[in-house]
Amino acid sequence: MTAPLTAAPRNGAGGDRAFASITAGAAWFVLILLGAAAASMAWGGRLAFETFGWGFITSRDWDPVAGRFGALVPIYGTIVTSLLALVIAVPVSIGIALFLTDIAPRWLRGPIGMAIELLAAIPSIIYGMWGLFVFAPFMAAHVEPWLSDHLGTAPLIGAMFVGPPIGIGLLTASIVLGIMIIPFIATVSRDVFSAVPPQLKEAAVALGSTRWEILSRVTLPYTRSAIVGAMFLGLGRALGETMAVTFVLGNAHDLSLSLLMPSNSIAAAIANEFTEADTELYRSSLIALAFLLFVVTFIVLTIARLMLMRIGRNQGRTH
Amino acid sequence: MALFRRKLVDVVALLFASAATAFGLVWLIWILWTTAVQGAAALSPALFTQMTPPPGESGGLLNAFYGSGVMVLLALLIGTPLGIAAGTYLAEHGRHSKLAAAVGFINDILLSAPSIVIGLFIYELVVRPTGHFSGFAGALALAMVLLPIVVRTTAESLRLVPNTMREAAFALGIPRWRVTVRVLFKAALPGILTGVLLGLARIAGETAPLLFTALNNQFWSANVAEPLANIPVVIFQYAMSPYDQWHALAWAGALVLTAFVLFLNLVVRVLARGAKR
């Protein structure tokens, strides 16, 4: 607006300047908030980083009484549950996206799509409660005995499926996490699938392709970067998910290869122990964990955004 | 043979896609069913008239409902104006600026940032300096969860307002800020409202940011400078406890919370759909 402002009402220019600075200030505030959060985690965790150095992330020795804090177990638990959740959620989500764009009758697409989106609306505390009272007993009674009987003695992977079937542990947490991130990956996939130019699909149909061949040779290659972005988005969600995991992971500081054993995650350790942390070092160690989590999710989510931006179509979603 | 194989693969893939969808829906139904059945069994008028009880006694969740309501309202009061202002900058006044691009990017990341870290941040920022947990700290943490949602939806709704509307208003000689406030906000209002309602649905169930900020309070307190009872943390503590009575109350709270959140989501979606037609 470089036009002369002589014709504008009296309060025009001043109001404009004030309004522009207010909105710009609010925008700066969002940036500062993120920076301040990262800085305050780094500052709060400095005591732990100074005291333990690299040992903080390589040691599995978490002993509040002796004042020794090594975070290998929660880090391991976070990574294992998140990756396993992705392994579960990605094929299912792509299947759902395919169903919603190509298979379901038109009148069914809206309601089913909405139902899948509602999975993301359920508060994570509800997932946690359901996981603890319903799903963990179900796993203990029906799934885990079968797994340890049939896979527990298998070579190589056997060690992953041994242990008492108590229902609470890495596997249960991973499945619950997987369910929680399905809506995020599925809705992004659905949106990019339906944004594939119809000419591409029609050309494939004209060549006699089946629907699977269209998906695997046209749709997926065309939307590859967005699908990878959606996976990272799901991963970012899974890494930071707190309440659901806290309920079903068991808060155990033992390192175990078995997926049936209780373990810990960064977020769950913080949720469980922070209000009980009675020494400065204990509190600092938990904040240092939060700092690591924050940095890792920031990187993962940045990758997600960059991949999603490439496809240039990601409007209209709040997640 | 080759054709047969291709068709077989196709049928298997289609069956897999349908099964995947069924797989997704089964969890939704299972979770909602459990919550409805367990929660309905524990619903009673006492839920809304009595305080959270000590173990072994009967009671309700009145103080927790009240605390949640206060904190969510405060969070809305803090987060909404800030979010609308920042979103306006992204879509209007800072359009094409580097700051707007950076804020848009960071905002999208904040949107998915782990909420437990937000709780710890507010702990360091407010709780540690003041020396005690407080409902106000909880409200701040919730506002920080809400903020990116409002920023995003505000910016998006403003971008959907046709440029001709801006041009028409400018042509009348109206200053830019009045165009934004009187014309553009009016046009984008349904979208902005949708964002605020979705944000409300989200923060109503947020637990992790409240654990170290509002904490919990077994008694009635209307003072936001004190620890404040709230539904999510009460559900968490009661569900983790060994007492059946507390489990029942937790389920009742879970049912009310889920019903509230799903109702808001459905309303928003139906409204959005109606607006599109």
Side-chain angles (χ1 to χ4, degrees), chain A residues 1 7-9 11-16 19-20 22-24 26-31 33-34 36-37 40-41 43-44 88 91-93 95-96 98-100 103 110-112 114-119 121-127 129-130 132-135 138 175 179 182 207-213 233 236-237 240-243 246-247 267 270-272 274-275 280 283 286-287 290 293-294 297-298 301-302 305-306 309 314-319, chain B residues 6-7 9-10 13-18 20-21 23-25 27-28 30-32 34-35 38 81-86 88-90 93 99 102-103 105-117 120-121 123-125 128 133 144 147 149 151-153 156 170 173-178 180-181 185 195 198 201-202 205-208 211-212 215 232-233 235-236 238-241 247 250-251 253-255 257-258 261-262 265-266 269-270 273:
Chain A
M1 290 291 103
N11 57 351
D16 259 354
F19 194 77
I22 289 171
T23 57
W28 272 111
F29 185 76
V30 173
L31 270 191
L33 213 51
L34 187 99
S40 108
M41 293 300 108
W43 180 250
I88 296 164
V92 171
S93 304
I96 291 174
L98 179 66
F99 184 81
L100 288 175
I103 300 174
I112 290 189
M114 200 189 268
I116 296 293
E117 283 172 31
L118 283 186
L119 269 179
I122 298 176
S124 69
I125 181 116
I126 308 293
Y127 277 95
M129 249 191 114
W130 169 83
L132 178 68
F133 289 115
V134 180
F135 191 58
F138 172 83
I175 296 175
I179 302 165
I182 283 175
L207 292 172
S209 303
T210 63
R211 273 188 276 194
W212 165 246
E213 286 162 351
L233 190 64
R237 287 272 170 177
E241 175 49 50
T242 309
M243 297 322 292
T246 306
F247 273 100
I270 300 170
N272 272 319
F274 192 75
T275 42
E280 206 50 41
R283 212 173 295 140
L286 289 167
I287 296 177
L293 178 68
F294 198 52
T297 46
F298 184 86
L301 292 169
T302 300
R305 275 304 140 202
L306 293 175
M309 268 157 71
N314 180 37
Q315 340 82 330
R317 305 257 146 241
T318 52
H319 43 251
Chain B
R6 286 173 56 209
K7 284 201 167 157
V9 169
D10 191 49
L14 297 193
L15 280 180
F16 168 78
S18 313
T21 309
F23 180 84
L25 296 178
W27 303 112
L28 181 73
W30 194 358
I31 293 169
L32 292 184
T34 309
T35 311
Q38 301 273 10
L82 257 177
I84 291 180
T88 307
Y89 183 80
L90 295 194
H93 293 254
L99 173 62
V103 171
F105 195 90
I106 293 297
N107 189 67
D108 277 353
I109 287 174
L110 267 182
L111 212 50
S112 304
S115 55
I116 184 122
V117 176
L120 274 185
F121 173 52
Y123 174 89
E124 290 280 291
L125 197 70
R128 203 204 279 258
F133 300 99
M144 193 166 161
L147 179 67
I149 303 175
V151 172
R152 173 100 180 243
T153 43
E156 263 160 17
F170 287 146
I174 306 172
R176 185 159 189 189
W177 72 276
R178 298 197 66 162
T180 306
V181 174
F185 277 174
L198 280 180
R202 166 93 192 270
E206 276 292 343
T207 316
L211 287 175
F212 329 121
L215 198 67
V233 175
I235 294 178
F236 178 52
Y238 281 19
M240 288 294 220
S241 77
H247 290 174
W251 277 117
L255 174 61
L257 176 62
T258 311
V261 167
L262 289 190
N265 267 277
L266 286 174
R269 271 154 233 261
V270 168
R273 214 162 257 222

Side-chain angles (χ1 to χ4, degrees), chain A residues 75-169:
Chain A
I75 292 172
Y76 172 81
T78 304
I79 294 173
V80 169
T81 49
S82 301
L83 289 183
L84 213 59
L86 264 193
V87 169
I88 296 164
V90 168
V92 171
S93 304
I94 291 182
I96 291 174
L98 179 66
F99 184 81
L100 288 175
T101 48
D102 278 342
I103 300 174
R106 227 156 255 287
W107 58 271
L108 209 56
R109 291 177 190 182
I112 290 189
M114 200 189 268
I116 296 293
E117 283 172 31
L118 283 186
L119 269 179
I122 298 176
S124 69
I125 181 116
I126 308 293
Y127 277 95
M129 249 191 114
W130 169 83
L132 178 68
F133 289 115
V134 180
F135 191 58
F138 172 83
M139 289 290 287
H142 301 291
V143 181
E144 293 184 352
W146 187 91
L147 283 177
S148 56
D149 284 352
H150 291 79
L151 298 175
T153 52
L156 287 177
I157 60 162
M160 291 163 71
F161 297 102
V162 290
I166 48 174
I168 283 172

